[in-house]
Amino acid sequence: QVRLVESGGDSVQAGGSLRLSCVHSGYARSRECMGWFRQAPGKEREGVASITRDGSTIYADSVKGRFTISKDNAGTTLYLQMNNLKPEDTAMYYCAAALMSPNDCDARYWPPSFGNWGQGTQVTVSS
């Protein structure tokens, strides 16, 4: 059984930083592609960043240059380093993992409900 647990969400002021973590437990093939997503109240889910098994990354334009996705050597813990946070980054952040080819590993186009998802961690940025 695959399980993902996010942590690290908090309330910060604009310009601040946070690092989110997501621990994946389960069989390795289920984390061939991992990603971070966010959803603000009243808005659609947004794919923030994704990373393949080999470490290739893709970012949404809204976070490029500010957020960095990474994972530990074992590939079991996913991170999202968020710098220069803005009020518009306020959202519930989720991680997901799936068996997906590298060419398809893109959080911006992740099929709804595909793969395994965590329960989310709240990030609030005040101005």
Side-chain angles (χ1 to χ4, degrees), residues 31-65:
R31 53 178 184 265
E32 287 283 315
C33 174
M34 300 184 76
W36 284 100
F37 305 79
R38 65 186 182 186
Q39 188 165 21
K43 293 189 176 182
E44 293 188 351
R45 187 192 75 188
E46 178 187 16
V48 173
S50 52
I51 186 167
T52 67
R53 181 187 62 183
D54 295 334
S56 296
T57 58
I58 297 176
Y59 296 91
D61 288 343
S62 57
V63 305
K64 276 182 184 176

mmCIF file of all heavy atoms in Angstrom, residues 31-65:
data_model
loop_
_atom_site.group_PDB
_atom_site.id
_atom_site.type_symbol
_atom_site.label_atom_id
_atom_site.label_comp_id
_atom_site.label_asym_id
_atom_site.label_seq_id
_atom_site.Cartn_x
_atom_site.Cartn_y
_atom_site.Cartn_z
ATOM 1 N N ARG A 31 6.726 5.622 -7.463
ATOM 2 C CA ARG A 31 7.243 6.983 -7.352
ATOM 3 C C ARG A 31 8.189 7.302 -8.509
ATOM 4 O O ARG A 31 9.149 8.051 -8.352
ATOM 5 C CB ARG A 31 7.921 7.216 -6.007
ATOM 6 C CG ARG A 31 8.998 6.228 -5.635
ATOM 7 C CD ARG A 31 9.628 6.588 -4.302
ATOM 8 N NE ARG A 31 10.728 5.704 -3.963
ATOM 9 C CZ ARG A 31 10.597 4.635 -3.201
ATOM 10 N NH1 ARG A 31 9.421 4.317 -2.698
ATOM 11 N NH2 ARG A 31 11.636 3.871 -2.939
ATOM 12 N N GLU A 32 7.952 6.731 -9.672
ATOM 13 C CA GLU A 32 8.731 7.047 -10.859
ATOM 14 C C GLU A 32 8.638 8.539 -11.175
ATOM 15 O O GLU A 32 9.593 9.139 -11.648
ATOM 16 C CB GLU A 32 8.215 6.245 -12.056
ATOM 17 C CG GLU A 32 8.565 4.765 -12.003
ATOM 18 C CD GLU A 32 10.003 4.495 -12.379
ATOM 19 O OE1 GLU A 32 10.473 5.064 -13.374
ATOM 20 O OE2 GLU A 32 10.658 3.701 -11.671
ATOM 21 N N CYS A 33 7.495 9.102 -10.924
ATOM 22 C CA CYS A 33 7.282 10.530 -11.111
ATOM 23 C C CYS A 33 6.619 11.068 -9.849
ATOM 24 O O CYS A 33 5.657 10.473 -9.355
ATOM 25 C CB CYS A 33 6.385 10.793 -12.315
ATOM 26 S SG CYS A 33 5.913 12.508 -12.543
ATOM 27 N N MET A 34 7.137 12.174 -9.336
ATOM 28 C CA MET A 34 6.564 12.771 -8.146
ATOM 29 C C MET A 34 6.358 14.261 -8.398
ATOM 30 O O MET A 34 7.096 14.884 -9.167
ATOM 31 C CB MET A 34 7.468 12.558 -6.929
ATOM 32 C CG MET A 34 7.688 11.094 -6.611
ATOM 33 S SD MET A 34 8.656 10.820 -5.114
ATOM 34 C CE MET A 34 7.427 11.168 -3.851
ATOM 35 N N GLY A 35 5.358 14.789 -7.741
ATOM 36 C CA GLY A 35 5.060 16.195 -7.984
ATOM 37 C C GLY A 35 4.437 16.880 -6.792
ATOM 38 O O GLY A 35 3.938 16.240 -5.868
ATOM 39 N N TRP A 36 4.480 18.196 -6.863
ATOM 40 C CA TRP A 36 3.820 19.050 -5.878
ATOM 41 C C TRP A 36 2.703 19.819 -6.571
ATOM 42 O O TRP A 36 2.869 20.309 -7.704
ATOM 43 C CB TRP A 36 4.792 20.049 -5.252
ATOM 44 C CG TRP A 36 5.720 19.453 -4.244
ATOM 45 C CD1 TRP A 36 7.018 19.084 -4.438
ATOM 46 C CD2 TRP A 36 5.411 19.143 -2.875
ATOM 47 N NE1 TRP A 36 7.534 18.563 -3.280
ATOM 48 C CE2 TRP A 36 6.577 18.593 -2.300
ATOM 49 C CE3 TRP A 36 4.273 19.283 -2.076
ATOM 50 C CZ2 TRP A 36 6.644 18.184 -0.965
ATOM 51 C CZ3 TRP A 36 4.329 18.873 -0.754
ATOM 52 C CH2 TRP A 36 5.503 18.327 -0.208
ATOM 53 N N PHE A 37 1.609 19.960 -5.862
ATOM 54 C CA PHE A 37 0.421 20.628 -6.367
ATOM 55 C C PHE A 37 -0.113 21.540 -5.278
ATOM 56 O O PHE A 37 0.183 21.354 -4.101
ATOM 57 C CB PHE A 37 -0.647 19.598 -6.743
ATOM 58 C CG PHE A 37 -0.145 18.565 -7.715
ATOM 59 C CD1 PHE A 37 0.637 17.494 -7.269
ATOM 60 C CD2 PHE A 37 -0.423 18.666 -9.065
ATOM 61 C CE1 PHE A 37 1.119 16.554 -8.161
ATOM 62 C CE2 PHE A 37 0.059 17.727 -9.960
ATOM 63 C CZ PHE A 37 0.832 16.673 -9.504
ATOM 64 N N ARG A 38 -0.925 22.500 -5.684
ATOM 65 C CA ARG A 38 -1.546 23.358 -4.682
ATOM 66 C C ARG A 38 -2.944 23.733 -5.128
ATOM 67 O O ARG A 38 -3.251 23.749 -6.324
ATOM 68 C CB ARG A 38 -0.708 24.604 -4.442
ATOM 69 C CG ARG A 38 -0.589 25.535 -5.640
ATOM 70 C CD ARG A 38 0.404 26.662 -5.315
ATOM 71 N NE ARG A 38 0.522 27.616 -6.413
ATOM 72 C CZ ARG A 38 1.395 28.614 -6.424
ATOM 73 N NH1 ARG A 38 2.229 28.789 -5.400
ATOM 74 N NH2 ARG A 38 1.436 29.436 -7.458
ATOM 75 N N GLN A 39 -3.766 24.002 -4.144
ATOM 76 C CA GLN A 39 -5.129 24.433 -4.427
ATOM 77 C C GLN A 39 -5.544 25.457 -3.399
ATOM 78 O O GLN A 39 -5.543 25.179 -2.192
ATOM 79 C CB GLN A 39 -6.103 23.253 -4.427
ATOM 80 C CG GLN A 39 -7.487 23.627 -4.904
ATOM 81 C CD GLN A 39 -8.336 22.427 -5.242
ATOM 82 O OE1 GLN A 39 -8.075 21.314 -4.782
ATOM 83 N NE2 GLN A 39 -9.356 22.632 -6.069
ATOM 84 N N ALA A 40 -5.892 26.630 -3.898
ATOM 85 C CA ALA A 40 -6.396 27.698 -3.039
ATOM 86 C C ALA A 40 -7.917 27.643 -3.032
ATOM 87 O O ALA A 40 -8.525 27.134 -3.981
ATOM 88 C CB ALA A 40 -5.904 29.044 -3.548
ATOM 89 N N PRO A 41 -8.542 28.154 -1.996
ATOM 90 C CA PRO A 41 -10.012 28.138 -1.933
ATOM 91 C C PRO A 41 -10.636 28.799 -3.151
ATOM 92 O O PRO A 41 -10.240 29.893 -3.550
ATOM 93 C CB PRO A 41 -10.315 28.933 -0.653
ATOM 94 C CG PRO A 41 -9.105 28.761 0.187
ATOM 95 C CD PRO A 41 -7.956 28.735 -0.772
ATOM 96 N N GLY A 42 -11.569 28.094 -3.764
ATOM 97 C CA GLY A 42 -12.271 28.640 -4.919
ATOM 98 C C GLY A 42 -11.503 28.576 -6.215
ATOM 99 O O GLY A 42 -11.988 29.069 -7.242
ATOM 100 N N LYS A 43 -10.321 27.973 -6.179
ATOM 101 C CA LYS A 43 -9.513 27.888 -7.401
ATOM 102 C C LYS A 43 -9.251 26.433 -7.768
ATOM 103 O O LYS A 43 -9.363 25.532 -6.930
ATOM 104 C CB LYS A 43 -8.186 28.625 -7.205
ATOM 105 C CG LYS A 43 -8.336 30.127 -7.038
ATOM 106 C CD LYS A 43 -6.992 30.816 -7.076
ATOM 107 C CE LYS A 43 -7.139 32.329 -7.009
ATOM 108 N NZ LYS A 43 -5.825 33.017 -7.088
ATOM 109 N N GLU A 44 -8.892 26.231 -9.017
ATOM 110 C CA GLU A 44 -8.565 24.891 -9.465
ATOM 111 C C GLU A 44 -7.175 24.487 -8.959
ATOM 112 O O GLU A 44 -6.333 25.316 -8.656
ATOM 113 C CB GLU A 44 -8.604 24.822 -10.989
ATOM 114 C CG GLU A 44 -9.992 25.002 -11.580
ATOM 115 C CD GLU A 44 -10.017 24.745 -13.069
ATOM 116 O OE1 GLU A 44 -8.938 24.587 -13.671
ATOM 117 O OE2 GLU A 44 -11.120 24.719 -13.644
ATOM 118 N N ARG A 45 -6.978 23.187 -8.919
ATOM 119 C CA ARG A 45 -5.672 22.676 -8.540
ATOM 120 C C ARG A 45 -4.624 23.100 -9.571
ATOM 121 O O ARG A 45 -4.882 23.093 -10.765
ATOM 122 C CB ARG A 45 -5.725 21.152 -8.471
ATOM 123 C CG ARG A 45 -4.466 20.507 -7.914
ATOM 124 C CD ARG A 45 -4.485 19.020 -8.157
ATOM 125 N NE ARG A 45 -4.211 18.718 -9.559
ATOM 126 C CZ ARG A 45 -4.311 17.516 -10.101
ATOM 127 N NH1 ARG A 45 -4.714 16.507 -9.359
ATOM 128 N NH2 ARG A 45 -4.022 17.322 -11.369
ATOM 129 N N GLU A 46 -3.454 23.464 -9.084
ATOM 130 C CA GLU A 46 -2.351 23.882 -9.947
ATOM 131 C C GLU A 46 -1.163 22.958 -9.723
ATOM 132 O O GLU A 46 -0.766 22.712 -8.591
ATOM 133 C CB GLU A 46 -1.946 25.324 -9.633
ATOM 134 C CG GLU A 46 -0.765 25.816 -10.446
ATOM 135 C CD GLU A 46 -0.268 27.182 -10.023
ATOM 136 O OE1 GLU A 46 -0.612 27.642 -8.914
ATOM 137 O OE2 GLU A 46 0.482 27.805 -10.795
ATOM 138 N N GLY A 47 -0.620 22.464 -10.812
ATOM 139 C CA GLY A 47 0.612 21.691 -10.735
ATOM 140 C C GLY A 47 1.783 22.623 -10.556
ATOM 141 O O GLY A 47 1.998 23.504 -11.386
ATOM 142 N N VAL A 48 2.545 22.451 -9.488
ATOM 143 C CA VAL A 48 3.615 23.375 -9.150
ATOM 144 C C VAL A 48 4.956 22.920 -9.717
ATOM 145 O O VAL A 48 5.666 23.707 -10.347
ATOM 146 C CB VAL A 48 3.711 23.529 -7.620
ATOM 147 C CG1 VAL A 48 4.922 24.360 -7.229
ATOM 148 C CG2 VAL A 48 2.430 24.133 -7.065
ATOM 149 N N ALA A 49 5.309 21.660 -9.469
ATOM 150 C CA ALA A 49 6.612 21.166 -9.903
ATOM 151 C C ALA A 49 6.574 19.649 -9.922
ATOM 152 O O ALA A 49 5.809 19.032 -9.176
ATOM 153 C CB ALA A 49 7.722 21.650 -8.976
ATOM 154 N N SER A 50 7.416 19.064 -10.755
ATOM 155 C CA SER A 50 7.500 17.615 -10.823
ATOM 156 C C SER A 50 8.950 17.203 -11.006
ATOM 157 O O SER A 50 9.787 17.985 -11.476
ATOM 158 C CB SER A 50 6.632 17.064 -11.955
ATOM 159 O OG SER A 50 6.936 17.725 -13.172
ATOM 160 N N ILE A 51 9.229 15.948 -10.643
ATOM 161 C CA ILE A 51 10.584 15.430 -10.749
ATOM 162 C C ILE A 51 10.515 13.961 -11.124
ATOM 163 O O ILE A 51 9.695 13.198 -10.600
ATOM 164 C CB ILE A 51 11.352 15.636 -9.414
ATOM 165 C CG1 ILE A 51 12.819 15.232 -9.558
ATOM 166 C CG2 ILE A 51 10.682 14.893 -8.257
ATOM 167 C CD1 ILE A 51 13.695 15.711 -8.390
ATOM 168 N N THR A 52 11.353 13.568 -12.078
ATOM 169 C CA THR A 52 11.388 12.181 -12.498
ATOM 170 C C THR A 52 12.320 11.378 -11.603
ATOM 171 O O THR A 52 13.041 11.923 -10.767
ATOM 172 C CB THR A 52 11.880 12.059 -13.949
ATOM 173 O OG1 THR A 52 13.261 12.469 -13.995
ATOM 174 C CG2 THR A 52 11.068 12.941 -14.886
ATOM 175 N N ARG A 53 12.333 10.069 -11.814
ATOM 176 C CA ARG A 53 13.222 9.206 -11.042
ATOM 177 C C ARG A 53 14.677 9.646 -11.213
ATOM 178 O O ARG A 53 15.467 9.585 -10.271
ATOM 179 C CB ARG A 53 13.061 7.760 -11.509
ATOM 180 C CG ARG A 53 13.928 6.750 -10.752
ATOM 181 C CD ARG A 53 13.832 5.387 -11.376
ATOM 182 N NE ARG A 53 14.328 5.407 -12.749
ATOM 183 C CZ ARG A 53 14.318 4.352 -13.562
ATOM 184 N NH1 ARG A 53 13.818 3.213 -13.149
ATOM 185 N NH2 ARG A 53 14.790 4.448 -14.786
ATOM 186 N N ASP A 54 15.016 10.102 -12.403
ATOM 187 C CA ASP A 54 16.395 10.499 -12.687
ATOM 188 C C ASP A 54 16.696 11.940 -12.307
ATOM 189 O O ASP A 54 17.818 12.401 -12.500
ATOM 190 C CB ASP A 54 16.699 10.305 -14.169
ATOM 191 C CG ASP A 54 16.657 8.842 -14.564
ATOM 192 O OD1 ASP A 54 16.896 7.981 -13.682
ATOM 193 O OD2 ASP A 54 16.371 8.551 -15.732
ATOM 194 N N GLY A 55 15.702 12.646 -11.796
ATOM 195 C CA GLY A 55 15.954 13.991 -11.301
ATOM 196 C C GLY A 55 15.633 15.127 -12.238
ATOM 197 O O GLY A 55 15.901 16.289 -11.907
ATOM 198 N N SER A 56 15.028 14.859 -13.374
ATOM 199 C CA SER A 56 14.618 15.948 -14.262
ATOM 200 C C SER A 56 13.419 16.666 -13.668
ATOM 201 O O SER A 56 12.497 16.025 -13.159
ATOM 202 C CB SER A 56 14.263 15.401 -15.640
ATOM 203 O OG SER A 56 15.398 14.822 -16.247
ATOM 204 N N THR A 57 13.442 17.978 -13.753
ATOM 205 C CA THR A 57 12.397 18.769 -13.108
ATOM 206 C C THR A 57 11.683 19.688 -14.099
ATOM 207 O O THR A 57 12.250 20.104 -15.109
ATOM 208 C CB THR A 57 12.982 19.631 -11.981
ATOM 209 O OG1 THR A 57 14.000 20.486 -12.530
ATOM 210 C CG2 THR A 57 13.593 18.759 -10.900
ATOM 211 N N ILE A 58 10.438 19.981 -13.781
ATOM 212 C CA ILE A 58 9.637 20.941 -14.535
ATOM 213 C C ILE A 58 8.867 21.779 -13.520
ATOM 214 O O ILE A 58 8.360 21.250 -12.526
ATOM 215 C CB ILE A 58 8.642 20.246 -15.488
ATOM 216 C CG1 ILE A 58 9.397 19.437 -16.550
ATOM 217 C CG2 ILE A 58 7.735 21.268 -16.171
ATOM 218 C CD1 ILE A 58 8.486 18.645 -17.475
ATOM 219 N N TYR A 59 8.777 23.089 -13.798
ATOM 220 C CA TYR A 59 8.107 24.003 -12.884
ATOM 221 C C TYR A 59 7.004 24.776 -13.592
ATOM 222 O O TYR A 59 7.096 25.094 -14.778
ATOM 223 C CB TYR A 59 9.099 25.009 -12.307
ATOM 224 C CG TYR A 59 10.170 24.393 -11.448
ATOM 225 C CD1 TYR A 59 11.373 23.980 -11.986
ATOM 226 C CD2 TYR A 59 9.960 24.216 -10.078
ATOM 227 C CE1 TYR A 59 12.356 23.399 -11.203
ATOM 228 C CE2 TYR A 59 10.938 23.641 -9.275
ATOM 229 C CZ TYR A 59 12.133 23.234 -9.844
ATOM 230 O OH TYR A 59 13.095 22.668 -9.047
ATOM 231 N N ALA A 60 5.985 25.133 -12.832
ATOM 232 C CA ALA A 60 4.997 26.071 -13.328
ATOM 233 C C ALA A 60 5.648 27.443 -13.441
ATOM 234 O O ALA A 60 6.533 27.788 -12.644
ATOM 235 C CB ALA A 60 3.810 26.133 -12.371
ATOM 236 N N ASP A 61 5.221 28.228 -14.399
ATOM 237 C CA ASP A 61 5.796 29.558 -14.595
ATOM 238 C C ASP A 61 5.662 30.420 -13.342
ATOM 239 O O ASP A 61 6.524 31.254 -13.058
ATOM 240 C CB ASP A 61 5.117 30.261 -15.778
ATOM 241 C CG ASP A 61 5.513 29.662 -17.114
ATOM 242 O OD1 ASP A 61 6.530 28.942 -17.168
ATOM 243 O OD2 ASP A 61 4.809 29.927 -18.106
ATOM 244 N N SER A 62 4.598 30.214 -12.593
ATOM 245 C CA SER A 62 4.317 31.047 -11.426
ATOM 246 C C SER A 62 5.336 30.865 -10.300
ATOM 247 O O SER A 62 5.416 31.709 -9.404
ATOM 248 C CB SER A 62 2.914 30.747 -10.895
ATOM 249 O OG SER A 62 2.790 29.370 -10.572
ATOM 250 N N VAL A 63 6.114 29.781 -10.341
ATOM 251 C CA VAL A 63 7.063 29.511 -9.251
ATOM 252 C C VAL A 63 8.506 29.407 -9.722
ATOM 253 O O VAL A 63 9.414 29.243 -8.896
ATOM 254 C CB VAL A 63 6.683 28.234 -8.478
ATOM 255 C CG1 VAL A 63 5.233 28.318 -7.979
ATOM 256 C CG2 VAL A 63 6.889 26.985 -9.331
ATOM 257 N N LYS A 64 8.730 29.485 -11.018
ATOM 258 C CA LYS A 64 10.095 29.363 -11.541
ATOM 259 C C LYS A 64 11.012 30.402 -10.904
ATOM 260 O O LYS A 64 10.670 31.569 -10.804
ATOM 261 C CB LYS A 64 10.092 29.548 -13.061
ATOM 262 C CG LYS A 64 9.761 28.298 -13.827
ATOM 263 C CD LYS A 64 9.827 28.555 -15.326
ATOM 264 C CE LYS A 64 9.409 27.340 -16.108
ATOM 265 N NZ LYS A 64 9.374 27.600 -17.563
ATOM 266 N N GLY A 65 12.177 29.945 -10.499
ATOM 267 C CA GLY A 65 13.150 30.844 -9.886
ATOM 268 C C GLY A 65 12.948 31.047 -8.399
ATOM 269 O O GLY A 65 13.813 31.624 -7.729
#
